[in-house]
Amino acid sequence: VEPNVRGRMSSEDVERLLIQFQDEDGLVLGSPFDVPLDITPDKLQLVCNALLQKDEPVPLAFFVRGEAEVVSSLASCVKALGVETEQVLPVVYQPQAVFRVRAVARCTSTLQGHTEAVISTAFSPTGKYLASGSGDTTVRFWDLTTETPHHTARGHTHWVLSIAWSPDGKKLASGCKNSQICLWDPATGLQIGKTLTGHTKWITWLCWEPLHLNPECRHLASSSKDGSIRIWDTVLGRCDMILTGHTQSVTCVKWGGDGLLYTSSHDRTVKVWRAKDGVQCRTLQGHAHWVNTLALSTDYVLRTGAFEPADATINPQDLTGTVDDLKEKALQRYNKVRVRTRGCSAPERLVSGSDDFTLFLWNPAEEKKPLARMTGHSALVNEVLFSPDTRLLASASFDKSIKIWDGRTGKYLMSLRGHVGSVYQVAWSADSRLLVSGSSDSTLKVWDVKTGKLNMDLPGHADEVYAVDWSPDGQRVASGGKDKCLRM
Amino acid sequence: MPQNEHIELHRKRHGYRLDHHEKKRKKESREVHERSHKARKLIGLKAKLYHKQRHAEKIQMKKTIKMHEQRRTKQKSDDKTPEGAVPAYLLDREGQSRAKVLSNMIKQKRKEKAGKWEVPLPKVRAQGETEVLKVLRTGKRQKKAWKRMVTKVCFVGDGFTRKPPKYERFIRPMGLRFKKAHVTHPELKATFCLPILGVKKNPSSPLYTSLGVITKGTVVEVNVSELGLVTQGGKVIWGKYAQVTNNPENDGCINAVLLV
């Protein structure tokens, strides 16, 4: 019996605690053992890595009982939660990304050239090329090493509303307000094949087939205001399938990794289709107003394909290797994101954000009912995005705030406030630690998700920021807006 | 003006004069000269009237000629892409210019101070008592006239029981009692048939509000749990106000627009 025991649970000199390491799904690691209450996360990491017996030590984050994160020492967590020190305490460990992305701090250049507002920007999957679509009907390619214009692709007759890179980075598809889709070669800036026509109203979203399903990157899905979704064969230049079923404008289409297509529309529903034969599998209902945006938990992996951000170099290179090699690598990366308990894969999760100020978390491959409804915003939700490690979810809304939710359960985590105008778009860094957001108040803000605080404020745009993208290797952020400039 | 078809009948039986068609053709071609003669030689009031009429005719002719000309010439479709390029997520939304936002804010503050609320139908025709309530005569000699019957559509709650008939002053006939309303959501442009929860305010008179009389312009509360709306805190919204837009006693149904 210690002389200074007076019923205080947190006498840090002496008290010890029994803890048990668990992974995210509840699988127990090792047996419970004794640690002093003032142990820090670093020491916990050493112990856990030793137990995991991996070749290289992996950075880990620890959560007491799966809820509160251990930041400074175990004692503060215990005090905060009021945990009994008599019982074994479960501590959940989560591996973090091995690499760290540094926060973008300054604007390295302003790329002028567009004669109208820049509406969409996208980095290629390896981060080698940058493309931007604008209201002056051109798509411009920019050279990232010198930060100057590279090519201007002319061919559209109206505003270029959406652009999408093929997962191998060799083609760019762009859709315009006159319902035409053009394919471009980033190396030369010339059009590949002929313009794909068929939709009757403007194109709202473009999405390529994932690399691990077809390494040639042949099929492209496009959604339009006319309520239909078309699947195009880019090699032959014709429409393979037309998926109809929505009664109003389709706002977003995503090609999942299992061969399922997810589409959201203004008719308040989200529909699930089979990509092979175009049959509608399921309709997910629940929203009370237009569904604006969709996000898949495997979005980042499908976008980067066979490119591994941890292998990135200062000068981004094209993907090398035979077609089968790339397919293998992409498949491996995809399965890694999905593997969960006991080696069997967990299904992809889908989040939909709507004008009714709420988000729904779905398991679209299996159930019709949502997993969770996430409320809290006071204005419409414009964009939702899963973090690259699928653990977190960010939602940008017109109520000037961004909310972070847990990616697996949909529980609310924190709000990021600071913008003074509607937040239009967000982008995650490759290590899931930082988030950049662009808003109508013409600033971009970089947020640290761990602390929930503003990391960096990036002013400089003269007018609203319409499009934001973080390169997949984490080196650069590109933003474009109404002031016709693209800033890096 | 022939009153019957005797002219046609004669033509069928006996045919036309031999020079009929030529005469007709020549008369028509002379018409142009006669017109111009009239235009030059008319004087006085007749001239004024004629010239006025002719002026109007000429304007119409010029318009049609111009229209035909436009159709014939192939106009190169407006090449310039319109200004104001906007990303896809902003396309179906009306953006407000910043000046408008400020003036709207000021206007709203003023209205709030004055206690006026924005409704789709701000002014409605006030219904007088003689229109809404019909006098019912009672008594042995039908002399008493203190009972009234409501002639407009009304809403009575679920647990409504009539007062003893001898004492009830206002009679609401069962045929004019409605429970549901067809409510249109102004943004979604979709109409739902929703149950009415109660009458909030009848613009004509507070008496009608307490009786539950529904006329054009009445604000009613409807049950919107069907729509699936949710508040910020996660609570389900189950009642919302809607304003009636038709005359229910004429149509047999209540049409309303939701006040969002």
Side-chain angles (χ1 to χ4, degrees):
Chain A
V1 175
E2 272 62 310
N4 55 355
V5 165
R6 259 198 275 146
R8 278 185 301 150
M9 304 254 278
S10 57
S11 52
E12 293 165 17
D13 308 310
V14 191
E15 289 277 329
R16 296 184 76 89
L17 190 57
L18 273 177
I19 63 169
Q20 166 109 63
F21 284 117
Q22 277 182 0
D23 84 346
E24 295 167 296
D25 297 297
L27 259 186
V28 155
L29 178 74
S31 54
F33 55 86
D34 228 11
V35 290
L37 256 186
D38 60 352
I39 194 168
T40 58
D42 303 327
K43 300 213 187 92
L44 275 174
Q45 201 169 299
L46 282 173
V47 174
C48 203
N49 271 318
L51 279 174
L52 284 172
Q53 288 166 346
K54 287 230 179 95
D55 300 323
E56 284 178 27
V58 176
L60 299 163
F62 297 94
F63 295 83
V64 169
R65 262 212 301 233
E67 291 165 10
E69 183 166 359
V70 179
V71 177
S72 51
S73 80
L74 197 54
S76 48
C77 258
V78 162
K79 215 190 327 190
L81 283 183
V83 167
E84 271 201 9
T85 51
E86 309 260 329
Q87 295 177 341
V88 175
L89 186 68
V91 172
V92 176
Y93 65 89
Q94 268 185 13
Q96 309 266 288
V98 178
F99 56 96
R100 267 203 110 84
V101 171
R102 247 183 309 152
V104 289
R106 59 197 178 88
C107 175
T108 50
S109 67
T110 309
L111 303 168
Q112 285 162 341
H114 279 297
T115 50
E116 277 287 324
V118 177
I119 308 178
S120 47
T121 59
F123 278 99
S124 76
T126 52
K128 183 164 185 206
Y129 303 108
L130 171 64
S132 62
S134 119
D136 64 0
T137 76
T138 59
V139 173
R140 282 171 203 255
F141 293 94
W142 308 88
D143 184 7
L144 290 176
T145 37
T146 54
E147 298 190 348
T148 50
H150 205 32
H151 296 295
T152 304
R154 291 177 210 280
H156 279 295
T157 47
H158 214 307
W159 308 339
V160 179
L161 288 177
S162 64
I163 54 179
W165 283 95
S166 67
D168 61 358
K170 298 218 173 66
K171 287 185 267 199
L172 174 78
S174 57
C176 82
K177 195 159 188 286
N178 267 339
S179 53
Q180 292 171 334
I181 304 173
C182 293
L183 293 155
W184 312 95
D185 178 13
T188 58
L190 296 173
Q191 190 171 352
I192 305 176
K194 58 182 167 77
T195 313
L196 307 171
T197 50
H199 278 295
T200 50
K201 292 209 196 137
W202 68 74
I203 310 283
T204 51
W205 201 266
L206 291 169
C207 188
W208 287 86
E209 189 177 13
L211 195 70
H212 65 260
L213 290 178
N214 184 345
E216 283 174 50
C217 298
R218 197 169 166 153
H219 292 285
L220 171 68
S222 67
S223 66
S224 150
K225 177 152 163 70
D226 63 9
S228 69
I229 301 107
R230 281 172 190 251
I231 301 186
W232 307 86
D233 183 338
T234 52
V235 168
L236 295 173
R238 57 152 203 205
C239 177
D240 262 352
M241 261 188 281
I242 308 177
L243 310 175
T244 50
H246 280 297
T247 50
Q248 283 182 347
S249 160
V250 185
T251 46
C252 188
V253 63
K254 291 269 159 135
W255 205 313
D258 288 331
L260 287 173
L261 263 144
Y262 309 103
T263 57
S264 68
S265 154
H266 278 180
D267 65 3
R268 299 156 18 229
T269 60
V270 174
K271 288 191 195 275
V272 183
W273 315 76
R274 253 208 310 269
K276 245 190 275 290
D277 44 10
V279 165
Q280 187 186 329
C281 304
R282 225 168 256 116
T283 303
L284 309 173
Q285 287 173 330
H287 276 298
H289 211 307
W290 300 350
V291 188
N292 288 329
T293 174
L294 286 178
L296 273 177
S297 55
T298 49
D299 253 344
Y300 180 76
V301 170
L302 295 175
R303 175 192 176 181
T304 47
F307 170 68
E308 176 62 56
D311 302 333
T313 53
I314 292 285
N315 241 342
Q317 302 297 326
D318 254 336
L319 290 172
T320 51
T322 65
V323 152
D324 287 325
D325 258 352
L326 294 176
K327 183 172 176 175
E328 259 310 303
K329 267 199 256 175
L331 193 56
Q332 269 174 7
R333 290 193 66 227
Y334 177 66
N335 285 332
K336 214 169 14 152
V337 176
R338 294 191 44 186
V339 163
R340 289 288 175 236
T341 351
R342 293 172 200 99
C344 61
S345 38
E348 287 178 320
R349 292 182 305 277
L350 180 71
V351 168
S352 56
S354 148
D355 260 22
D356 66 357
F357 312 167
T358 64
L359 303 108
F360 270 111
L361 181 64
W362 312 89
N363 186 348
E366 285 165 21
E367 296 153 19
K368 251 190 188 190
K369 294 235 175 272
L371 293 171
R373 184 170 201 175
M374 302 177 261
T375 59
H377 277 299
S378 48
L380 63 97
V381 178
N382 200 41
E383 200 185 15
V384 230
L385 208 51
F386 268 96
S387 67
D389 62 357
T390 78
R391 281 199 199 99
L392 297 170
L393 187 56
S395 62
S397 150
F398 276 20
D399 68 355
K400 310 171 193 163
S401 75
I402 304 156
K403 290 197 195 276
I404 309 284
W405 317 80
D406 182 57
R408 307 177 73 226
T409 55
K411 207 165 74 117
Y412 167 75
L413 292 176
M414 63 181 104
S415 267
L416 307 173
R417 286 181 205 283
H419 277 297
V420 292
S422 334
V423 186
Y424 284 152
Q425 289 211 326
V426 284
W428 285 93
S429 69
D431 65 347
S432 314
R433 288 194 186 97
L434 299 166
L435 182 69
V436 68
S437 61
S439 125
S440 70
D441 64 3
S442 78
T443 61
L444 285 115
K445 294 197 194 305
V446 181
W447 310 87
D448 185 346
V449 183
K450 235 162 133 74
T451 57
K453 294 220 173 22
L454 183 63
N455 195 314
M456 196 70 57
D457 194 7
L458 306 168
H461 270 288
D463 213 337
E464 310 191 357
V465 177
Y466 284 148
V468 177
D469 196 18
W470 204 315
S471 77
D473 59 2
Q475 287 187 43
R476 291 182 183 82
V477 170
S479 66
K482 206 164 165 190
D483 59 350
K484 309 171 191 157
C485 305
L486 200 63
R487 275 172 190 261
M488 299 268 283
Chain B
M1 259 129 288
Q3 298 290 326
N4 211 336
E5 297 135 10
H6 52 271
I7 296 182
E8 276 92 9
L9 209 51
H10 181 277
R11 278 187 182 156
K12 270 197 203 153
R13 286 181 185 152
H14 307 289
Y16 288 99
R17 265 175 80 130
L18 293 167
D19 54 0
H20 169 84
H21 296 287
E22 196 183 334
K23 278 176 79 173
K24 189 168 174 198
R25 183 179 52 87
K26 289 184 79 114
K27 186 166 186 190
E28 271 165 16
S29 58
R30 253 179 276 132
E31 198 186 318
V32 183
H33 296 284
E34 279 171 23
R35 260 194 186 210
S36 97
H37 184 264
K38 252 209 298 185
R40 277 180 291 126
K41 297 297 183 188
L42 271 180
I43 49 172
L45 179 63
K46 278 191 186 167
K48 276 198 179 150
L49 292 172
Y50 176 77
H51 284 304
K52 187 168 176 196
Q53 190 194 40
R54 183 69 183 152
H55 186 56
E57 256 175 52
K58 275 193 168 170
I59 292 172
Q60 275 305 107
M61 264 197 323
K62 279 196 178 148
K63 277 193 188 161
T64 25
I65 289 172
K66 207 166 183 194
M67 266 181 12
H68 282 300
E69 263 178 20
Q70 257 195 345
R71 188 169 55 105
R72 230 181 294 140
T73 59
K74 277 275 173 189
Q75 291 256 1
K76 208 164 172 222
S77 54
D78 211 4
D79 236 6
K80 266 183 48 169
T81 49
E83 296 255 331
V86 152
Y89 51 81
L90 288 177
L91 266 177
D92 278 325
R93 304 182 195 280
E94 308 137 1
Q96 270 185 324
S97 73
R98 281 173 207 142
K100 202 69 173 120
V101 169
L102 282 174
S103 85
N104 277 354
M105 266 170 45
I106 295 174
K107 281 187 194 163
Q108 199 177 30
K109 278 215 183 101
R110 279 198 208 133
K111 271 199 195 152
E112 266 175 46
K113 261 197 185 169
K116 284 199 185 149
W117 300 103
E118 224 185 70
V119 275
L121 302 174
K123 284 205 180 105
V124 210
R125 190 175 73 84
Q127 320 256 2
E129 253 204 32
T130 45
E131 210 184 320
V132 178
L133 302 168
K134 186 176 120 165
V135 178
L136 278 184
R137 293 192 161 267
T138 52
K140 191 171 180 187
R141 279 180 239 119
Q142 299 287 306
K143 259 175 58 170
K144 296 179 166 206
W146 55 274
K147 274 182 180 276
R148 299 277 182 281
M149 186 171 78
V150 174
T151 59
K152 305 276 177 187
V153 158
C154 53
F155 171 76
V156 294
D158 255 348
F160 174 73
T161 348
R162 290 169 61 188
K163 279 188 40 186
K166 184 164 180 203
Y167 299 109
E168 68 180 336
R169 181 132 65 110
F170 293 102
I171 299 175
R172 280 162 279 188
M174 278 174 67
L176 287 176
R177 292 187 205 159
F178 279 78
K179 287 195 206 163
K180 287 201 171 203
H182 301 291
V183 183
T184 309
H185 192 295
E187 284 160 32
L188 289 176
K189 307 266 188 267
T191 312
F192 309 93
C193 188
L194 303 171
I196 303 176
L197 292 170
V199 173
K200 174 77 179 165
K201 185 159 174 56
N202 190 314
S204 305
S205 157
L207 171 67
Y208 303 154
T209 312
S210 61
L211 281 179
V213 174
I214 299 181
T215 53
K216 183 169 180 176
T218 313
V219 175
V220 282
E221 194 173 357
V222 283
N223 184 342
V224 292
S225 51
E226 208 177 86
L227 298 181
L229 302 164
V230 169
T231 61
Q232 239 178 302
K235 301 207 177 89
V236 177
I237 300 173
W238 64 284
K240 256 189 175 291
Y241 291 131
Q243 194 184 27
V244 176
T245 52
N246 72 331
N247 288 314
E249 66 276 3
N250 296 338
D251 300 327
C253 62
I254 306 176
N255 296 341
V257 77
L258 199 64
L259 302 174
V260 277

